[in-house]
Amino acid sequence: MEWTEQERVRRESLARLRELGIDPYPAPAFPVTHRAQELTEAFSDGVEVRLAGRLMSRRIMGKASFAEIQDGAGTFQLYVNRDELCPGEDKTSYNEVFKRLLDRGDFIGISGTTFTTQTGEPSINVRELTVLSKSLRPLPAVKTDEHGVVHDAFSDPELRYRMRYVDLVVNRDVRRTFEARSQVIRAMRDAFDRNGWLEVDTPVLQAIPGGAAARPFVTHHNALDIPLYLRIANELYLKRLIVGGFEGVYEFSRNFRNEGMDRTHNPEFTVLELYVAYKDYLWMMETMEQLFAEVCTAVHGTTSCMLNGTRIDFTPPFRRVTMRDAILDHTGVDIDGLDEAGLRAACAACGVHTDASMGRGKLIDALFGAKCEGHFVQPTFITDYPVEMSPLTKAHRSKPGYTERFELMVNGTEIANAYSELNDPDDQRARFEDQLQLSARGDDEAMFIDQDFLRALEYGMPPTSGVGIGIDRLVMLLTDAQSIQDVLLFPQMRPETTHAPA
C-alpha cells in the first residue's frame, strides 16, 4: 500500500509509541465521568473530571499548551502543563507523546480539574493523558478565508456520503439531522404504543414481492433452490396479522426497490406502516393530522418548520382535495368517465409522456405527477383515487369507479399513502388479475397475485385502515434537507474505481 507523507509520519509515530511501551490501541476501558456538552452547560471550577474523545487541535506554547477534545456531545478546551502532566523528572509524556506523537483525530482520555482561564474560557487542567486509539489517516483540514470565516474542507457531497464516518467528525451539524431522524421514529413509536398498537417484524425475503407496484430486487435461496425477492412493501403481511386477530400493528420497515435514484429516491429506504382494525381512511386522516403535528413538535418544539425558505405548518386540520378535482383544477381535464384512449390523448395535450404499457391508472398518475403535485406545498390530503390506481383499496362507498384512499402531499412530495383496506377476497382477486394483464402489456411494476394473501382474506379480515409513511422523505422535510442522501447515514453509491481519497 502506498501512503501519503502524512500517513507515513503517523505510522512512524505509531511505531515510536510502541517503542515507548505505550499501546496505541489499549484493551482496558476508559471510564468517563462527564461529556463535553454537560460540562459546558453546567460549568463550575474545581470539578474532577474524566473525559474521552478525539484530539481536534493543539496550540503548543513551550511548557504549557492548549488543545481541544471532541466527544459525541461536543468539544471542550484542555490546558496541558508539562510539569503537572509529568510531575517527576521524566517529561516524555509531554515533550514527546503530547507534542510530537499525537495528531489531530487521535482518541485520547484525560483526567483533570475544571478551571476558568484568565480570558474566561472554561477549561480542564490535564493531569493524566491516555492514548486510546491512534488515527492513521489525517482528517480533512479546516480552512479559513481572508475574512477569517472558517470553511470545512470536506464539503464534496459524494465524498461526504461515501465516507460518512469522516463527515460526522468534521461536519458536526450533520449529526443533528440523524438525531432528528431518531426523534421522528421515537415520537411515532410513542404515539402508537400509547394506543396499544403492537410493533412487529415481517419478512424481508419474500417469495412474492407484494404490497406495492414496484420493480423488486431478485436473489436466490440455495438451500430451497427458489428465487426470492427483497421486500418492496410489508403491507400484505401486516394485514395477515389483522386477519389473525391483532387489532393494531405497525412496523418500521426497510424496503428495497430496483428503480431509479434521484433527489427523493434511494433503492433502500424506510417506511412506517400501520394497520388498525375497525377504522377507515377518514379516521386515518384525522390520526395522521395529529401524528404529524406531534412529530414536528418533537423535532422543532412547534407544529411548523422551515423548508427552502417556506414555513410548513402541520397544525390540523390539513386541506383535502380529491384526485379528480386536483387534476381538473390544474389541467382542465376531467378524468371522470375518461377511458384509456381519452386519458392518453389528454396526457398528450398536456405534454405528459406516456408509453404503450401504461393503463388507465398509470396515465392518471402520470398526469397528476407532472401537472399537479408541485402545487401542494402545505400539507394536503389528495383523496378518492380511481380504482385502477389502487388495487389494494376498498371501493368508495358513494363514488363508483373510485376508492377510499388518500396521499398526504407536502412540498410537492408524497409523504404518506393510506386506504380503507380492501377486505373483499373476490374483489381483491379480480384486482390482482387486472394487474396480471398490465404485466402482460410490459408493466414491470404490476403486482403479482399472492394466493396465500387471498386465502387469508377468505378467512375474514375486519374493516381496516392502513397507512405507509416515508420516513426518509419526512426527515428531509423536518431538517430542510435537499436530498434523500442527506438523511441516510450510508446512501447507495456506485462502487469506487480507485482507492478512497485521504
Side-chain angles (χ1 to χ4, degrees):
M1 178 182 295
E2 186 175 341
W3 295 323
T4 66
E5 177 63 18
Q6 290 192 56
E7 290 171 342
R8 184 186 62 79
V9 170
R10 286 175 179 244
R11 287 183 175 274
E12 290 174 354
S13 297
L14 177 75
R16 178 57 181 157
L17 286 170
R18 285 177 168 145
E19 288 176 8
L20 293 172
I22 298 172
D23 185 350
Y25 306 103
F30 187 89
V32 299
T33 60
H34 296 76
R35 304 184 76 199
Q37 184 176 356
E38 64 180 292
L39 279 177
T40 301
E41 293 175 349
F43 181 79
S44 60
D45 288 342
V47 178
E48 297 293 320
V49 300
R50 288 172 61 87
L51 204 65
R54 286 188 187 269
L55 179 66
M56 295 303 291
S57 66
R58 287 176 302 171
R59 297 185 305 242
I60 305 296
M61 299 181 296
K63 296 180 181 180
S65 302
F66 285 96
E68 182 182 60
I69 190 172
Q70 175 177 293
D71 64 12
T75 60
F76 207 83
Q77 180 168 278
L78 306 179
Y79 172 73
V80 186
N81 180 283
R82 184 193 68 179
D83 295 329
E84 295 199 38
L85 183 64
C86 310
E89 294 296 321
D90 185 358
K91 307 298 182 183
T92 301
S93 291
Y94 181 82
N95 289 338
E96 187 163 9
V97 176
F98 177 76
K99 291 177 66 173
R100 293 184 53 246
L101 302 181
L102 291 184
D103 293 287
R104 181 170 179 261
D106 290 350
F107 279 92
I108 61 172
I110 64 95
S111 60
T113 307
T114 57
F115 77 105
T116 304
T117 67
Q118 292 181 350
T119 57
E121 292 292 327
S123 304
I124 299 172
N125 186 6
V126 177
R127 292 193 307 274
E128 295 182 10
L129 186 150
T130 303
V131 179
L132 299 178
S133 182
K134 181 66 182 170
S135 172
L136 299 181
R137 286 180 179 261
L139 293 172
V142 174
K143 298 179 179 178
T144 305
D145 65 19
E146 64 273 17
H147 305 293
V149 178
V150 175
H151 298 274
D152 110 62
F154 197 67
S155 56
D156 180 84
E158 181 173 347
L159 286 181
R160 290 182 53 231
Y161 302 151
R162 193 179 297 282
M163 300 168 61
R164 186 68 84 185
Y165 41 87
V166 176
D167 188 33
L168 290 167
V169 174
V170 300
N171 296 325
R172 296 286 291 179
D173 58 323
V174 172
R175 298 174 62 92
R176 175 58 187 147
T177 296
F178 296 102
E179 289 165 355
R181 184 185 180 101
S182 181
Q183 289 173 321
V184 167
I185 293 173
R186 188 182 310 116
M188 286 184 169
R189 184 173 278 122
D190 289 346
F192 300 154
D193 290 348
R194 285 198 305 271
N195 282 281
W197 302 327
L198 183 69
E199 184 171 9
V200 298
D201 291 310
T202 62
V204 172
L205 289 174
Q206 300 181 352
I208 294 176
R215 185 184 301 120
F217 287 94
V218 185
T219 187
H220 186 83
H221 192 290
N222 290 334
L224 297 178
D225 193 24
I226 58 171
L228 289 175
Y229 302 87
L230 293 183
R231 174 171 59 197
I232 60 173
N234 57 346
E235 175 173 342
L236 302 188
Y237 282 94
L238 293 176
K239 288 196 280 193
R240 285 172 169 92
L241 297 179
I242 298 295
V243 171
F246 290 112
E247 295 184 358
V249 292
Y250 70 93
E251 180 179 17
F252 290 94
S253 168
R254 188 61 62 91
N255 293 350
F256 307 84
R257 297 183 183 178
N258 196 358
E259 300 169 344
M261 296 170 58
D262 57 31
R263 190 183 68 84
T264 59
H265 293 86
N266 192 70
E268 180 179 359
F269 59 99
T270 302
V271 173
L272 174 283
E273 293 216 17
L274 165 71
Y275 292 82
V276 183
Y278 311 113
K279 306 296 183 183
D280 63 12
Y281 82 137
L282 299 175
W283 171 87
M284 187 63 82
M285 275 189 265
E286 295 180 357
T287 301
M288 290 299 100
E289 287 172 338
Q290 296 301 320
L291 178 68
F292 277 82
E294 188 171 327
V295 168
C296 187
T297 300
V299 176
H300 292 288
T302 178
T303 56
S304 65
C305 64
M306 296 301 296
L307 179 65
N308 297 327
T310 299
R311 182 165 294 280
I312 304 296
D313 189 357
F314 287 100
T315 304
F318 301 165
R319 182 185 177 200
R320 303 183 183 189
V321 181
T322 67
M323 171 65 77
R324 178 188 179 188
D325 288 344
I327 293 176
L328 184 61
D329 290 346
H330 294 289
T331 69
V333 175
D334 187 352
I335 63 172
D336 198 29
L338 275 185
D339 61 10
E340 185 177 315
L343 282 166
R344 197 174 297 278
C347 286
C350 293
V352 177
H353 173 75
T354 64
D355 62 58
S357 73
M358 298 170 71
R360 188 172 187 273
K362 278 209 165 183
L363 292 169
I364 295 171
D365 189 43
L367 190 60
F368 176 79
K371 298 298 180 180
C372 307
E373 275 188 358
H375 295 282
F376 300 105
V377 176
Q378 295 300 326
T380 305
F381 291 122
I382 305 299
T383 69
D384 303 349
Y385 281 55
V387 66
E388 295 87 351
M389 298 179 71
S390 311
L392 298 170
T393 311
K394 185 184 287 288
H396 199 283
R397 66 195 74 180
S398 62
K399 298 179 182 179
Y402 292 89
T403 61
E404 297 196 345
R405 173 184 175 186
F406 71 80
E407 288 187 343
L408 175 60
M409 306 295 298
V410 186
N411 194 43
T413 301
E414 173 209 338
I415 302 301
N417 184 23
Y419 317 146
S420 294
E421 299 295 335
L422 178 56
N423 60 343
D424 179 337
D426 293 335
D427 190 357
Q428 183 64 81
R429 183 178 296 277
R431 305 274 194 97
F432 278 152
E433 290 171 350
D434 289 341
Q435 291 288 300
L436 275 186
Q437 294 180 18
L438 292 174
S439 180
R441 290 174 52 175
D443 186 347
D444 57 5
E445 294 183 350
M447 291 187 186
F448 290 50
I449 293 183
D450 187 333
Q451 298 290 353
D452 179 69
F453 175 66
L454 291 173
R455 179 171 58 191
L457 287 185
E458 289 172 349
Y459 279 94
M461 185 177 85
T464 299
S465 183
V467 65
I469 299 173
I471 297 298
D472 309 312
R473 291 182 181 178
L474 176 57
V475 176
M476 285 177 65
L477 285 175
L478 294 177
T479 60
D480 200 8
Q482 302 306 303
S483 170
I484 194 170
Q485 285 85 359
D486 292 326
V487 301
L488 300 174
L489 280 168
F490 300 103
Q492 190 66 45
M493 305 286 291
R494 188 181 299 276
E496 292 179 273
T497 56
T498 60
H499 188 273

